[in-house]
Amino acid sequence: MPANSRLAVRKTYKLFIDGAFARSESGRTFPFEHRGGITHVARATRKDLRDAVRAARAALRAWRDRTAYNRGQILYRLGEIMEDRRGELIESIARSGVAAATAEKEVDASVDRVVWYAGWCDKIEQWLSTKNPVAGPHFNVSSPEPTGVVGIVAPQRPSLLGLVSTIVPPLCAADAVVAIASDVNPLSAIAFAEALATSDLPAGVVNILTGERSELTPHLARHMDVHGLDLWVEDDELEERAADLACASVKRVRRSDPRSSAFWFGDTSMSPRWIESFMEIKTVWHPAGW
Amino acid sequence: MKVDPKTRGNGINERARDRVSVAAPPSAASNKWQYAPAPEAHDYIKLRSRYDLFVGGKWRKPKSGRYFASINPATEETLCEVADANEADVAGAVAAARTAYEKYWRKMPGASRAKYAYRIARAITERSREIAVLETVDGGKPIKESRDVDVPLAAAHFFYYAGWADKLEWAFPNADPRPVGVAGQIIPWNFPILMAAWKVAPAIACGNAVVLKPAETTPLTALLLAEIVEQADLPPGVVNIITGGAATGAALVNADGLDKVAFTGSTEVGKQIARACAKTKRRLTLELGGKAANIIFEDAPMDQAIEGIINGIFFNQGHVCCAGSRLLVQESIHELVVTKLHRRMQTLRLGDPLDKNTDVGAINSKAQLEKIEMLAATGDADGCTRFQTECRLPSRGYWFRPTFFTGVALSHRIAQEEIFGPVLSVLTFRTPEEAVEKANNTPYGLSAGVWTDKGSKNFEIVRRLEAGVVWANTFNKFDPSSPFGGYKESGFGREGGVHGLLPYVEI
Amino acid sequence: MDAVGLEERAASLAKRSIKKQSKIEGLRLAISCMDLTTLEGKDSPGRVAQLCRKAINPNPADPSIPSVAAVCVYSSLVAAAKSALRGSGVKIASVATAFPSGLAPLDVKLRETQEAVETGADEIDMVINRGAFLAGKRDEVAREIAAVKQACGSARLKVILETGELVTYDNVRRASWLAMEAGADFIKTSTGKVSPAATLPVALAMLEAVRDFETLHGRRVGVKVAGGIRTAKNALQYLVLVNETLGDAWLSPQFFRIGASSLLNDVLMQIAKERTGAYQGEDYFTKD
């Protein structure tokens, strides 16, 4: 090594739970090989997952009590922060072997998608609510409310855009999220978590775990305090097992097959229906009369 | 003190029906603990001595060559000069808007329009203190209001509509929403920056280009908005801001090349504009005057209702189209309400609008002050009883003490005509049917308020009131997601919410 | 009452900007209305004696600072306070009636009250029976208050509502009214042992009840806010509430009190800052 070359400071990739970055309680990691070398990424256990769900549950009420406008501002801020961190996000994708131009396109699409959803926070209720003309002197209104804690087994690819596309819509719904990242490329998930951590998002609203998906998914699926489940599991058997375990608490489950690049980069993968998937409709009656 | 079970109440339903507070309560001015002046810092704000027109992305001198002064109504000092646009200037602005619309704005993807609008929203928030101070010195409203209400709502309005710019197919499914084209927008002096936001935000979000004319007495914050638009790199000509008086407004309404006119102001002028537009096929929305009824029942949450009544008429010195200017009191609580109102009024602080503790600022102009004084005098002449805040008025500037009249009948001028000042007319009713009937007995229909703790009564009253905005157990609440607009002679069209997109799309 | 409207009004009043001379006046008023408090299981005569010295002369470096209104202690420490406060104008307020829970037999509570008064308490801070109140047994609550009032003799009675446990403003209003009708000289927000304690909207609800009570019955009742008031700014906000709801007559220790401990030093620091222009440090103000 020449005398004047600078040594890099290597980054440790940790789990994102309750607004903080922590190693797995087990201390386990798994080696992730990429263009820059080998990184030992935290390998979450069921206890880490348990802690993440607890954090999400605790964060729910305050997140829901914020104004929709405030949630929109926070998501817009996330877009600002991600825009500012473009380089880092692009690198986190490119390292896993994706071509630089594609990585850039993926980051652009991710930022724009966040901004798109930011604008839904204070509109989703208008889009889904109705005042119902019941046959009688009663005022009757239906409107959507958050389902609660949503567990997400994120798409394997694209590792950033897929994660953003699945995590952000439940946030518009005022849900709290526990997400299991791609293990094909876990680095983008943590780079994204760092953007989340600096976006004024309250601690616990989003939690991101890296690790062995086949190990973590069943625990997420059977957790009695998780109310919604978004499965982008590539292994059919694992997916079916998770869907079965989810029945014990009548979770709202969405199951999806791996999708093409065209799907993820197009309008087909952004829709207020993705927000609606993790909302409940409440209908209220009140008499009108002297 | 022995407790007598027969007279013990629960505090909730206690009414001081048997007691009358005859003497006027002491005013804030005679309190033993006087608040020291607390002026909002403003020396860091730089006003140009002269402003030109903002047309086609540039600051252009008016072809008229004329400028007029904008003054501070609290001190009568001149703040600066602004351009007086003539017909040629107006035509130039409309042409610039047309060019921008045809060349690039109508084709720009919604996601990009959204980003521009988000930039404007964020910039308003960043420069919020500056805008608030300018709003206060230009128009006379208390800094507390411009800082806490006008400016945050203006930013929120841009933020909300930015979010619709790339979602119009979701707002109007199966309808292929497209922009209307070029809109001429005329706004009043009571909420200058807020009205500018209400007009510009939905228009540009939907892909239209605009020519905005702020009111003659309050051009400054619109001109600051022009600076913000410029710094947001909005493509030139999408937003054009031209200053001037009534003649400029008339020129804009009649200009060739407009697809739409949006007007907020008096009913009288609104009717003239409607007639001018009737000769053409251009679309029109109007947000005009009001004479809102604020109905208080004996089972109202009393002290909060008093606050709501006070806020309803004295917020922004009563320069509010949706002001609760007719108080309909259930006769059984008339004395109690009058006593509480009179007492509460005395803690209203009237004075320097830049003082953070001021509740009531200056009347916007000499002309408006004269109108208020004239109409209030008819109240005296009609035999109504006048109550007002006992306070000293500053020696310079335009001021009117918060006032209410009791003994008012529907036929009195102060019950029929919009005063647009801090003057409340108090009438009585006995039954809810009578309250609704009296509330609706007006050609106006912008807003109304109702105060009762009983849920079903609230729901029935709001169903029956002929007003575009009904406030139940609250008043003067605004939100970009909440549609605002009138029935009858208070205008047509809605601003805010999904409904606020309709005037700016072709579907 | 409408909670949203009440909270909006309180928030609006909290925005008053109190500056310069009016700030100093307000802060001095806050001190002269303070009940300097120690209510811990580990309180001893020595602790109380030192607190009393602070109460009499909060800042020896500034002789213009007034004494506080009262010292507030557990009933068994009234004698220690009396001896330490001899010759000063500072009053002794004693908590009684099985503070803070209030859950003890009535005769025990009355005896405690009597003994506190006999040993020298000028004021008694009692707690209402919240369990009975929330169960709807309002008559029982009222009777207890009246009985304690009688046991007070010439001592003034402050009735603690423990608003944090009452939860709704309607309950706060009802409890305030009930206490006033039963003879309270003061209504007080909290024991300071439960969170939330005093809040601006709760205080406003109580001030409005006091106002209506005076209009109806012609008797002035005082208001004491206690618990969680730690900053000078917050104290000034309470004073603004009193000023703009009730006016001059209540702006005195006769009818307004702030129960606090660490607040005193923050107020002293703010006064010093107003006088010198420099932000102050804790080291320059004695803890007791």
Side-chain angles (χ1 to χ4, degrees):
Chain A
M1 193 183 70
N4 61 351
S5 84
R6 187 184 169 278
L7 210 53
V9 178
R10 289 186 181 169
K11 178 163 165 175
T12 305
Y13 286 81
K14 304 188 201 173
L15 308 172
F16 181 57
I17 301 177
D18 205 12
F21 292 90
R23 296 174 202 274
S24 167
E25 54 83 33
S26 65
R28 298 182 317 180
T29 57
F30 66 95
F32 176 64
E33 247 188 272
H34 54 85
R35 261 194 0 225
I38 297 183
T39 296
H40 290 271
V41 180
R43 189 172 152 197
T45 63
R46 63 182 167 78
K47 288 187 183 172
D48 297 314
L49 188 141
R50 172 202 65 193
D51 292 344
V53 172
R54 189 180 298 145
R57 183 64 144 127
L60 256 185
R61 177 131 174 234
W63 181 231
R64 184 193 161 158
D65 283 349
R66 300 230 175 179
T67 61
Y69 175 35
N70 186 236
R71 284 193 292 271
Q73 286 177 309
I74 289 174
L75 288 183
Y76 184 79
R77 179 77 173 154
L78 175 62
E80 284 182 358
I81 301 291
M82 287 173 72
E83 182 81 51
D84 206 45
R85 288 175 170 247
R86 278 183 91 243
E88 184 196 327
L89 289 168
I90 291 169
E91 178 61 19
S92 77
I93 300 168
R95 263 201 224 167
S96 69
V98 173
T102 312
E104 207 175 313
K105 208 174 129 209
E106 189 180 333
V107 171
D108 286 345
S110 301
V111 175
D112 287 351
R113 192 153 296 185
V114 168
V115 171
W116 192 76
Y117 276 111
W120 268 115
C121 290
D122 54 3
K123 298 171 183 65
I124 186 69
E125 203 174 335
Q126 293 177 310
W127 189 71
L128 283 173
S129 297
T130 56
K131 182 175 174 296
N132 307 312
V134 295
H138 286 85
F139 179 87
N140 181 300
V141 148
S142 296
S143 59
E145 303 203 337
T147 294
V149 176
V150 175
I152 300 174
V153 184
Q156 289 279 38
R157 299 173 189 75
S159 58
L160 176 65
L161 184 58
L163 184 66
V164 166
S165 301
T166 50
I167 284 186
V168 174
L171 298 184
C172 297
D175 292 316
V177 164
V178 175
I180 301 171
S182 159
D183 56 25
V184 158
N185 175 17
L187 302 185
S188 297
I190 300 305
F192 177 59
E194 287 166 10
L196 284 168
T198 49
S199 303
D200 300 329
L201 188 72
V205 173
V206 176
N207 306 274
I208 298 178
L209 306 174
T210 49
E212 192 60 53
R213 285 156 69 98
S214 59
E215 181 190 331
L216 295 170
T217 300
H219 290 296
L220 186 64
R222 68 155 64 98
H223 197 303
M224 300 298 274
D225 220 6
V226 169
H227 311 103
L229 199 59
D230 193 12
L231 298 171
W232 295 83
V233 178
E234 293 190 344
D235 175 344
D236 286 343
E237 210 186 293
L238 178 61
E239 181 189 314
E240 210 180 295
R241 186 160 162 245
D244 181 77
L245 288 167
C247 296
S249 62
V250 192
K251 289 179 177 54
R252 286 89 172 94
V253 180
R254 182 168 76 156
R255 297 160 72 162
S256 308
D257 291 324
R259 303 302 296 261
S260 68
S261 190
F263 170 81
W264 288 110
F265 281 86
D267 287 350
T268 36
S269 54
M270 36 196 271
S271 162
R273 298 264 168 234
W274 289 44
I275 306 174
E276 187 192 9
S277 301
F278 295 108
M279 299 195 87
E280 311 296 320
I281 302 294
K282 172 184 285 175
T283 300
V284 175
W285 296 66
H286 197 300
W290 305 138
Chain B
M1 181 173 156
K2 263 235 172 72
V3 180
D4 179 348
K6 284 200 266 329
T7 59
R8 188 192 323 129
N10 60 9
I12 304 283
N13 296 320
E14 292 300 333
R15 303 283 176 242
R17 287 199 195 91
D18 305 324
R19 311 243 333 172
V20 175
S21 179
V22 172
S27 74
S30 67
N31 276 2
K32 86 181 178 200
W33 185 34
Q34 293 289 322
Y35 303 154
E40 176 75 37
H42 56 281
D43 37 337
Y44 61 93
I45 291 163
K46 293 169 186 15
L47 258 184
R48 301 185 215 169
S49 60
R50 172 180 277 196
Y51 286 87
D52 290 317
L53 307 170
F54 184 69
V55 172
K58 290 187 172 33
W59 293 93
R60 300 177 198 275
K61 297 202 177 312
K63 295 194 171 80
S64 67
R66 281 195 315 272
Y67 295 83
F68 62 96
S70 194
I71 66 155
N72 179 342
T75 60
E76 301 179 52
E77 288 169 334
T78 298
L79 294 164
C80 62
E81 283 189 316
V82 303
D84 191 1
N86 65 10
E87 275 187 35
D89 294 310
V90 169
V94 174
R98 174 63 55 189
T99 302
Y101 175 70
E102 298 295 351
K103 260 175 79 177
Y104 37 76
W105 196 239
R106 75 185 302 175
K107 302 168 197 156
M108 185 153 304
S112 299
R113 296 199 307 264
K115 286 178 180 173
Y116 280 118
Y118 278 124
R119 279 186 194 175
I120 296 173
R122 300 293 264 178
I124 292 175
T125 301
E126 273 153 17
R127 296 178 74 174
S128 58
R129 201 48 64 98
E130 199 184 330
I131 304 173
V133 170
L134 268 189
E135 192 77 304
T136 284
V137 301
D138 202 17
K141 70 171 68 195
I143 186 68
K144 195 176 65 163
E145 283 175 16
S146 28
R147 179 195 69 196
D148 295 343
V149 180
D150 294 54
V151 177
L153 277 176
H157 223 84
F158 271 99
F159 199 92
Y160 176 80
Y161 278 108
W164 273 123
D166 51 3
K167 303 175 177 66
L168 293 175
E169 335 76 63
W170 295 103
F172 305 110
N174 301 319
D176 184 28
R178 282 157 292 119
V180 175
V182 175
Q185 305 177 317
I186 298 172
I187 56 176
W189 46 261
N190 59 348
F191 294 94
I193 188 65
L194 183 58
M195 292 296 102
W198 278 25
K199 294 286 181 282
V200 174
I204 64 172
C206 294
N208 305 283
V210 308
V211 178
L212 177 81
K213 188 199 99 58
E216 190 176 344
T217 58
T218 55
L220 298 188
T221 47
L223 292 166
L224 212 170
L225 180 63
E227 253 182 55
I228 286 175
V229 156
E230 196 182 18
Q231 288 169 9
D233 282 334
L234 197 66
V238 174
V239 174
N240 305 277
I241 296 179
I242 54 170
T243 47
T248 310
L252 181 56
V253 168
N254 292 303
D256 282 330
L258 282 187
D259 301 297
K260 166 160 176 64
V261 172
F263 172 77
T264 297
S266 71
T267 294
E268 191 193 315
V269 174
K271 288 180 181 175
Q272 289 167 21
I273 291 178
R275 285 205 299 274
C277 288
K279 302 192 182 87
T280 71
K281 285 220 171 39
R282 58 182 56 148
R283 293 172 55 170
L284 177 64
T285 47
L286 296 173
E287 206 269 276
L288 309 176
K291 192 70 182 175
N294 206 349
I295 305 169
I296 176 168
F297 285 95
E298 62 186 1
D299 57 0
M302 191 52 60
D303 286 318
Q304 290 76 54
I306 297 296
E307 278 311 305
I309 295 166
I310 293 279
N311 174 272
I313 186 59
F314 300 132
F315 171 67
N316 200 25
Q317 298 73 251
H319 301 150
V320 186
C321 42
C322 51
S325 52
R326 281 185 299 148
L327 179 62
L328 301 185
V329 193
Q330 192 159 13
E331 189 176 343
S332 52
I333 49 165
H334 180 261
E335 221 172 273
L336 174 70
V337 169
V338 168
T339 304
K340 278 186 176 273
L341 271 181
H342 192 207
R343 182 172 182 166
R344 170 66 180 91
M345 272 167 94
Q346 306 313 324
T347 57
L348 285 172
R349 306 176 63 85
L350 181 150
D352 178 11
L354 273 178
D355 190 309
K356 290 183 263 194
N357 291 324
T358 292
D359 300 314
V360 179
I363 302 300
N364 185 258
S365 66
K366 187 143 184 279
Q368 188 59 29
L369 177 60
E370 283 166 359
K371 180 173 176 208
I372 297 168
E373 283 170 344
M374 182 271 293
L375 280 169
T378 70
D380 297 312
D382 279 334
C384 307
T385 309
R386 186 195 279 238
F387 293 78
Q388 57 190 32
T389 303
E390 309 301 330
C391 59
R392 265 197 333 274
L393 299 181
S395 52
R396 289 188 64 77
Y398 314 124
W399 307 94
F400 195 86
R401 292 187 175 87
T403 298
F404 68 88
F405 285 95
T406 57
V408 181
L410 277 180
S411 56
H412 292 153
R413 281 184 76 182
I414 57 172
Q416 298 204 349
E417 293 176 43
E418 186 178 37
I419 300 174
F420 223 66
V423 179
L424 176 67
S425 302
V426 182
L427 302 86
T428 58
F429 70 90
R430 276 115 311 259
T431 68
E433 292 284 352
E434 191 191 341
V436 168
E437 190 182 55
K438 282 182 149 69
N440 291 336
N441 187 211
T442 162
Y444 291 114
L446 184 53
S447 60
V450 54
W451 299 86
T452 167
D453 253 351
K454 186 170 181 187
S456 51
K457 190 155 56 179
N458 256 323
F459 281 111
E460 180 63 7
I461 289 231
V462 308
R463 194 177 72 86
R464 301 261 300 263
L465 286 171
E466 289 160 14
V469 182
V470 181
W471 287 299
N473 289 337
T474 189
F475 211 92
N476 278 339
K477 289 283 168 235
F478 307 98
D479 191 276
S481 70
S482 178
F484 183 94
Y487 285 30
K488 308 192 284 190
E489 290 197 11
S490 292
F492 45 79
R494 294 291 175 270
E495 295 179 284
V498 187
H499 302 82
L501 291 167
L502 282 168
Y504 292 104
V505 289
E506 279 301 338
I507 47 174
Chain C
M1 307 196 69
D2 180 71
V4 174
L6 181 76
E7 287 169 5
E8 280 173 2
R9 174 66 175 148
S12 170
L13 286 168
K15 281 194 296 197
R16 289 298 192 211
S17 182
I18 309 296
K19 298 265 175 254
K20 305 195 179 75
Q21 190 53 34
S22 56
K23 183 170 182 179
I24 296 179
E25 278 170 22
L27 292 173
R28 281 201 219 283
L29 182 61
I31 295 176
S32 64
C33 289
M34 210 177 287
D35 283 4
L36 194 58
T37 303
T38 182
L39 292 169
E40 301 185 331
K42 61 187 181 177
D43 284 341
S44 68
R47 157 90 175 119
V48 168
Q50 284 175 186
L51 190 77
C52 288
R53 293 234 51 78
K54 177 82 173 171
I56 296 169
N57 196 0
N59 185 5
D62 185 353
S64 75
I65 301 286
S67 302
V68 303
V71 157
C72 186
V73 293
Y74 270 108
S75 55
S76 52
L77 290 154
V78 168
K82 178 160 177 179
S83 142
L85 291 173
R86 204 181 308 278
S88 75
V90 179
K91 305 250 188 291
I92 302 168
S94 169
V95 298
T97 68
F99 178 98
S101 73
L103 298 176
L106 182 57
D107 62 316
V108 169
K109 297 200 274 193
L110 292 176
R111 215 174 67 236
E112 186 190 3
T113 304
Q114 277 155 357
E115 280 198 29
V117 174
E118 273 158 29
T119 36
D122 303 295
E123 300 169 359
I124 297 291
D125 286 26
M126 73 167 283
V127 287
I128 63 166
N129 185 335
R130 283 88 70 198
F133 181 87
L134 291 171
K137 302 197 182 120
R138 312 242 169 87
D139 284 357
E140 187 184 313
V141 176
R143 273 199 303 272
E144 278 195 18
I145 297 171
V148 173
K149 174 65 183 163
Q150 199 164 38
C152 280
S154 61
R156 295 183 82 201
L157 176 64
K158 300 193 199 105
V159 178
I160 303 173
L161 308 178
E162 197 67 307
T163 55
E165 289 179 347
L166 300 182
V167 179
T168 68
Y169 301 115
D170 280 350
N171 275 347
V172 169
R173 169 96 184 186
R174 284 193 190 98
S176 300
W177 201 263
L178 184 159
M180 291 190 284
E181 285 192 320
D185 296 299
F186 264 83
I187 48 175
K188 175 175 167 182
T189 60
S190 328
T191 61
K193 303 301 179 192
V194 158
S195 185
T199 66
L200 292 170
V202 158
L204 181 59
M206 290 166 67
L207 292 166
E208 288 176 352
V210 162
R211 179 174 64 192
D212 285 350
F213 190 84
E214 198 232 356
T215 302
L216 195 59
H217 294 296
R219 181 168 84 88
R220 277 191 194 135
V221 175
V223 174
K224 176 170 171 179
V225 295
I229 303 170
R230 289 187 193 91
T231 65
K233 180 167 178 170
N234 200 203
L236 286 174
Q237 287 169 329
Y238 282 101
L239 281 172
V240 166
L241 249 52
V242 175
N243 189 32
E244 299 201 29
T245 309
L246 292 168
D248 288 354
W250 269 263
L251 281 179
S252 96
Q254 180 75 355
F255 292 113
F256 180 64
R257 297 286 179 87
I258 304 176
S261 41
S262 57
L263 172 66
L264 181 53
N265 274 1
D266 196 60
V267 173
L268 293 175
M269 290 206 287
Q270 293 306 311
I271 292 176
K273 191 245 163 199
E274 284 305 308
R275 272 191 22 239
T276 66
Y279 287 103
Q280 300 294 304
E282 282 183 11
D283 291 344
Y284 297 87
F285 299 86
T286 63
K287 299 286 179 202
D288 65 13

